[in-house]
Amino acid sequence: MASTLLKPTTHLQGHCSLPGDKSISHRLALLAPLAFGTTKIENFATSLDCQSSLDCMRTLGVNIEKEGNSVAIQGRGLRGLCETTAVLDAGNSGTTMRLLAGILCGQPFESQITGDESLRRRPMRRILNPLQEMGAKISASAHDCAPLKIQGGNLHGITYTPPMASAQVKSCVLLAGLFADGDTTVIENIPTRDHTERILPAFGVPVHREGTRLTVNGCIPLVSPTEVCTVPGDFSSAAFFLAAGMMVPKADLVLQGVGVNLSRIGLLHVLKETGGEIKLRNERLAMGEPVADIHITGIKRRTGKPLQLSGSIIPNVIDELPILAVLGAYLDGVEIRDARELRVKESDRIQLIVENMRRMGLEVTELEDGLQAAGNQEFRGAQIETGGDHRIAMAFSIAALVANGTTEIQDAFCVDISFPSFYEVLAHLTT
Ligand code: S3P
């Protein structure tokens, strides 16, 4: 598998736009087929993961036209998906598998979903429990993993408190709730990204919020939004360049049109608290989501305090923890706790972050639910083992920018899972 070589730099400057947000694009790809009318989308994510959502929907009989990042999806109504003998393939995408499972439980036919080797290792009991409680006939392998087998049918509303903070579980239950008799309520102990509850009203389905309770009423017909849906730039992709802006000496970056939904931008707050010179410009709304241009010009004054990441901020920064670990070791140290969920992402991210930090000559302690590393460490160029995990590849590509010597990122193009143009954007900003 192709690797890429990266060299240190002292320069990180320029403007760039990020690909469309992956979480929002998935939700559009999965909801538009259930609506009446055609949903027109601009800046749809370029990621392989979102392509998996579109491909599954095509296999389920949905007409989807795609030209570049513009997508038009012809809805078929709430129960209008078509039965297929093909096994649906969610690829590497946990969001596709878990959200689509909620939808398939409400369709009047039998279906199966599988995924790649990584996805077939990820836990599915977290969605089986609430879906079975709703009356769904869904089963998994002996280890509670994919492939999932579903005999769709009638569902009834439930009130469910997920035992882990997971937007995928919350969204799976709310989407199954679209097909249920009565109301479906999800109670979140710790809030997670709120894109599902923001997007459903755009399809004519109100979501009632009462503190930490979210409720949808079942069997309301979805209607395509009349306006074109323009997907904001992906904050989780922007995060790698924001962290780089804190590490590379001469940084002056403008990241244009980035989604700055509060349930996603914990990293921005962490960077600001660490002395980051970051300004939001041109703040606006797109599809009910806040969007801004983010300008970063490095660090004004080092606070000397380690990054402390634990408790309720964890779901907000869950996808940014690999790059925050790298950043902390470069700045004033880092402690990550309460992040067991990292062990069941596309890889065991705690283990791979620790392994690759050590390969770069950094001292780090692996904890069962996180890690700890001192700050001001010297990074050494190394061979990085990505384990096919896109966020590991990108986090250590940024570490390479401040390392002594050359860094080789193995299986580098796994970045295609979320950010296919990552290396081009990096080259553009560093030359
Ligand atoms: C996502 C939710 C998060 C996140 C993933 C995308 C989503 O997963 O890590 O990249 O779009 O709902 P969990 O909900 O499992 O934490």
Side-chain angles (χ1 to χ4, degrees), residues 22-23 27 95 98 126 165-169 171 193 318-319 341 345 391:
K22 186 156 84 77
S23 291
R27 284 152 175 81
T95 309
R98 294 186 176 127
R126 55 185 59 201
S166 166
Q168 292 179 357
V169 173
S171 304
R193 63 189 67 190
I318 191 75
D319 292 340
E341 279 291 305
K345 291 292 178 189
R391 298 205 198 276

Side-chain angles (χ1 to χ4, degrees), residues 161-185:
T161 306
M164 71 293 293
S166 166
Q168 292 179 357
V169 173
K170 164 177 71 179
S171 304
C172 167
V173 177
L174 290 176
L175 296 191
L178 298 177
F179 304 91
D181 291 333
D183 294 349
T184 298
T185 298

Side-chain angles (χ1 to χ4, degrees), residues 143-160:
H143 307 288
D144 284 341
C145 292
L148 303 178
K149 282 194 184 151
I150 297 169
Q151 174 58 64
N154 292 337
L155 302 176
H156 54 81
I158 57 168
T159 295
Y160 189 69

